[in-house]
């Protein structure tokens, strides 16, 4: 009709606006209750209802305050009619209406969505936006205080109207009205506090996300972009490109999936590092599979060194792109297998020209109580098998044997 | 194996959100199998696989809208005859285990050579399982004999010694033929062992498996 209150309520409740208007008119003779309700609802009903894209979660919040205030008004009316003092009733009703209007002002002005809308309408002139924002904040404060004053005046007025009466019940009524007023304020302030709390939380989450993003960006910048630049510069050199890509792949994988374990402390990490070094140096791929894990010591370190030597041999002599490395931590021994499908060789001739195999692999394993076995056939690849006993008995017998 | 391929060319479908990767696989596989179609998203994959009914689907693990797992969930009940082979750049345990438990019959990494990929497709089409060395390692890890771990169902929750041996050799980079030779058994027996391991991997409720699955919210 006048401020679109009836249609607004109707839209909220999902009934034709005519009925709401009729309800207002019917309530009008009851010492102006219809008018009071209309004023109260005008104050409380958010302007946003008119904008198309109001966030749905707020509808519930919209509904609460004016139901509470409407109920408060009805309570005032019925209780006052019980005492029959029409003048007092009317006065009390108007005072409560003042409370409602004050609360409504607070509700309207504390709506952060509207303030954001205002600043968004001025994207070209941010300084003006800032001015508007600033003045808006001041106005918001002023109106908030004004609304608060109205609410207080209304409550005090209600109590003042009723307390002079000698009737004890009237005083209780006064207190009840005061409580109703307070409840109204709580209903109005509650959502604001809740929104503020949510805003703060969102902000904190945003900061954490921003930190994570910065960390990721730093990693991408330091490693990935650097590697891509190197790949472009070395595009003609297939080996170099392969090495760069593989190295980058490994480091990204570690970053994504692996908990950081120190190669100086853990067997699996030490093996993986050895494999990585061989990959980097010889531009091959080492398919590393490690089952189980344990701490390293001097003997385990020797096993890793022997495995590394086997990988280096495969990389240098097998003439293949891929070497398999498999290690398993068994209850009483560590076993490592290095296998390639490359050129292979005749083991009977190995002593003549490959001292690396004899000294760094077989000899090293024997010195530390383990054993090594090399299986190879020309044209059929090579497998180096390394075993290191770990339980006490087998260690001592191994040492006795060496 | 090549003469088997000559008998009837397998119909293969590609699901991957990287167009370049699809093009590469299509070109590499063209000589071995018929690539009957491809899809770049989960919804596209579900509708086209249902329409084409290929023998084998090569399934990327990581895609928007739920990835390969979503395709598996949508297709497995309605099209049990379609076999899935997971293909991914990822070697993370939870990805591997998750896809297998969702019904994929094998898992290979994208760095696999074209010939090996063709062989893997053929093996999956025949109803066998395909384990990459790393997947074999994961399974050995997950089914490791731990004295403190309670075993609810020995049939499903433990590997036999033979299965363990086969998996070890797979992890060491042995081909099925080489495993058969090493263990003095037939290739068919090796395939049976691997299929049994796959079944255990899919059905067992061992803690390690459910933990990996839980990491990816797959339970």
């Amino acid at each position: 009709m006048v401020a679109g209150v009836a249609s607004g309520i109707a839209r909220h409740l999902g009934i034709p606006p005519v009925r709401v208007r009729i309800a207002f008119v019917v309530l009008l003779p009851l010492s102006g209750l219809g008018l009071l309700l209309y004023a109260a609802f005008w104050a409380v009903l958010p302007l946003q209802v008119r904008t198309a894209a109001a966030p749905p979660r707020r509808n519930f919040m919209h509904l609460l305050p004016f139901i509470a205030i409407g109920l408060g008004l009805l309570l005032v009316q019925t209780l006052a009619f019980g005492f029959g003092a029409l003048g007092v009733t009317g006065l009390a009703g108007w005072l409560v209406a003042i409370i409602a209007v004050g609360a409504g002002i607070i509700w309207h002005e504390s709506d952060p969505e509207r303030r954001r809308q205002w600043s968004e309408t001025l994207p070209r002139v941010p300084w003006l936006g800032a001015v508007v924002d600033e003045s808006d904040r001041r106005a918001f404060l002023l109106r908030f205080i004004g609304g608060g004053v109205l609410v207080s005046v209304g409550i005090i007025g209600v109590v003042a109207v009723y307390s002079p009466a000698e009737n004890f019940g009237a005083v209780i009524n006064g207190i009840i009205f005061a409580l109703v007023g307070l409840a109204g304020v709580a209903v109005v302030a509650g959502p604001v506090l809740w929104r503020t709390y949510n805003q703060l939380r969102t902000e904190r989450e945003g900061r954490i996300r921003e930190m994570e993003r910065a960390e990721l960006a730093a990693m991408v910048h330091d490693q990935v972009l650097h590697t891509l630049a190197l790949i472009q510069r070395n595009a003609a050199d297939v080996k170099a490109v392969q090495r760069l890509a593989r190295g980058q792949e490994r480091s990204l994988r570690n970053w994504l999936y692996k908990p950081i374990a120190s190669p100086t402390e853990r067997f699996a990490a030490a093996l993986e590092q050895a494999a990585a070094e061989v990959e980097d140096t010889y531009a091959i791929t080492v398919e590393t599979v490690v089952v189980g894990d344990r701490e390293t010591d001097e003997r385990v370190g020797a096993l890793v060194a022997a495995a590394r030597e086997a990988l280096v041999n495969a990389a240098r002599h097998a003439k293949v792109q891929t070497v398999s490395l498999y290690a398993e931590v068994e209850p009483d021994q560590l076993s490592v297998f290095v296998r390639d499908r490359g050129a292979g060789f005749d083991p009977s001739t190995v002593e003549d020209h490959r001292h690396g195999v004899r000294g760094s692999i077989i000899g090293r394993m024997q010195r530390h109580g383990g054993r090594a076995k090399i299986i190879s056939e020309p044209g059929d690849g090579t497998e180096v098998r390394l075993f290191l006993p770990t339980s006490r008995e087998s260690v001592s017998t191994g040492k006795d044997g060496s | 194996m090549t003469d088997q391929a000559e008998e009837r060319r397998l119909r293969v479908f590609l699901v991957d959100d990287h167009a370049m990767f699809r093009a590469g696989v299509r070109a590499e596989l063209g000589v071995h199998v018929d690539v009957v179609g491809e899809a770049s998203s989960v919804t596209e994959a579900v509708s086209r696989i249902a329409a084409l009914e290929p023998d084998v689907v090569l399934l990327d693990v990581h895609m928007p809208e739920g990835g390969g797992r979503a395709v598996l969930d949508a297709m497995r009940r309605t099209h049990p005859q379609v076999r899935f082979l997971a293909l991914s750049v990822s070697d993370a345990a939870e990805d591997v285990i998750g896809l297998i438990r969702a019904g994929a019959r094998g898992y290979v990494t994208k760095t696999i050579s074209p010939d090996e990929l063709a062989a893997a497709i053929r093996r999956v089409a025949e109803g066998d399982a395909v384990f990459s060395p790393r997947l074999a390692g994961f399974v050995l890890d997950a089914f490791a004999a731990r004295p403190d771990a309670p075993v609810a169902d020995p049939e499903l929750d433990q590997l036999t010694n033979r299965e363990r041996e086969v998996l070890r050799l797979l992890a060491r980079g042995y081909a099925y033929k080489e495993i058969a030779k090493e263990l003095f058994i037939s290739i068919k027996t090796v395939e049976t062992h691997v299929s049994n391991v796959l079944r255990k991997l899919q059905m067992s409720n061992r803690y390690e498996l459910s933990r990996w699955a839980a990491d990816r919210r797959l339970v």
Side-chain angles (χ1 to χ4, degrees), chain B residues 112-176:
Chain B
I112 190 171
S113 76
D115 291 341
E116 282 178 293
L117 180 57
I121 289 170
R122 213 165 294 126
R123 190 153 275 137
V124 167
E126 284 159 15
D128 294 320
V130 170
F131 282 21
S132 69
R134 195 165 271 254
L135 176 53
F138 284 148
V139 178
L140 282 171
D141 230 350
F143 283 90
R146 297 206 172 90
D148 51 327
V151 176
D153 183 353
E155 163 62 20
L156 281 179
D157 294 345
Q158 284 174 343
L159 299 178
T160 65
N161 284 337
R162 244 310 128 85
E163 285 162 357
R164 226 173 265 282
E165 280 176 302
V166 169
L167 281 178
R168 277 201 188 106
L169 290 169
L170 273 175
R172 279 158 66 179
Y174 278 59
Y176 281 33

Side-chain angles (χ1 to χ4, degrees), chain A residues 249 253 257-258 272 287-292 324-326 328 330 337 339 341 380 383 385, chain B residues 62 89-92 94-95 111 133-134 137 140-141 168 171-175 178 181-182:
Chain A
E249 182 197 340
R253 250 181 226 298
Y257 300 118
K258 297 247 176 74
E272 272 157 19
E287 292 259 15
T288 310
V289 178
V290 182
V291 174
S324 298
L325 167 64
Y326 173 73
E328 186 172 351
E330 290 167 85
F337 302 86
R339 179 182 160 85
R341 296 162 182 283
D380 203 24
E383 184 171 64
R385 302 175 180 173
Chain B
H62 293 279
V89 291
S90 165
D91 273 338
E94 56 269 25
D95 290 344
T111 48
R134 195 165 271 254
L140 282 171
D141 230 350
R168 277 201 188 106
R172 279 158 66 179
Y174 278 59
E178 295 164 326
K181 196 176 141 204
E182 179 85 15

Side-chain angles (χ1 to χ4, degrees), chain A residues 304-315 323 338 340 360-361 384 386:
Chain A
V304 172
R308 190 182 188 284
E309 194 58 35
L311 286 172
V312 168
N313 279 336
V323 178
V338 177
D340 67 70
S360 332
I361 299 178
V384 178
L386 310 171

Side-chain angles (χ1 to χ4, degrees), chain A residues 226-397:
Chain A
H226 191 73
T227 306
L228 287 175
L230 282 173
I231 284 177
Q232 285 169 41
R233 284 174 55 182
N234 292 299
D237 186 348
V238 176
K239 279 255 171 197
V241 168
Q242 222 157 30
R243 180 164 48 218
L244 284 166
R246 180 70 183 162
Q248 182 60 67
E249 182 197 340
R250 196 174 46 241
S251 102
L252 277 179
R253 250 181 226 298
N254 280 334
W255 193 79
L256 282 173
Y257 300 118
K258 297 247 176 74
I260 299 146
S262 164
T264 55
E265 286 167 12
R266 307 295 297 181
F267 173 59
L271 263 185
E272 272 157 19
Q273 195 197 35
E277 285 167 8
V278 175
E279 281 190 345
D280 276 348
T281 317
Y282 297 96
I284 58 159
T285 302
V286 179
E287 292 259 15
T288 310
V289 178
V290 182
V291 174
D293 202 358
R294 57 158 287 161
E295 297 88 42
T296 57
D297 53 32
E298 194 206 334
R299 299 175 66 239
V300 175
L303 174 66
V304 172
R308 190 182 188 284
E309 194 58 35
L311 286 172
V312 168
N313 279 336
R316 283 169 60 189
H317 303 295
K319 297 182 180 61
V320 284
Q321 273 308 304
T322 310
V323 178
S324 298
L325 167 64
Y326 173 73
E328 186 172 351
V329 180
E330 290 167 85
D332 52 357
Q333 73 170 358
L334 302 176
S335 32
V336 176
F337 302 86
V338 177
R339 179 182 160 85
D340 67 70
R341 296 162 182 283
F345 60 93
D346 185 352
S348 58
T349 62
V350 78
E351 278 80 4
D352 300 336
H353 64 283
R354 275 202 212 158
H355 300 286
V357 170
R358 198 181 165 77
S360 332
I361 299 178
I362 300 172
R364 183 181 266 141
M365 289 310 293
Q366 280 173 351
R367 274 197 302 281
H368 290 89
R371 61 201 163 86
K373 198 173 173 197
I374 295 164
I375 296 138
S376 185
E377 264 175 57
D380 203 24
T382 307
E383 184 171 64
V384 178
R385 302 175 180 173
L386 310 171
F387 303 96
L388 188 72
T390 47
S391 65
R392 201 158 292 159
E393 311 88 79
S394 42
V395 168
S396 53
T397 53

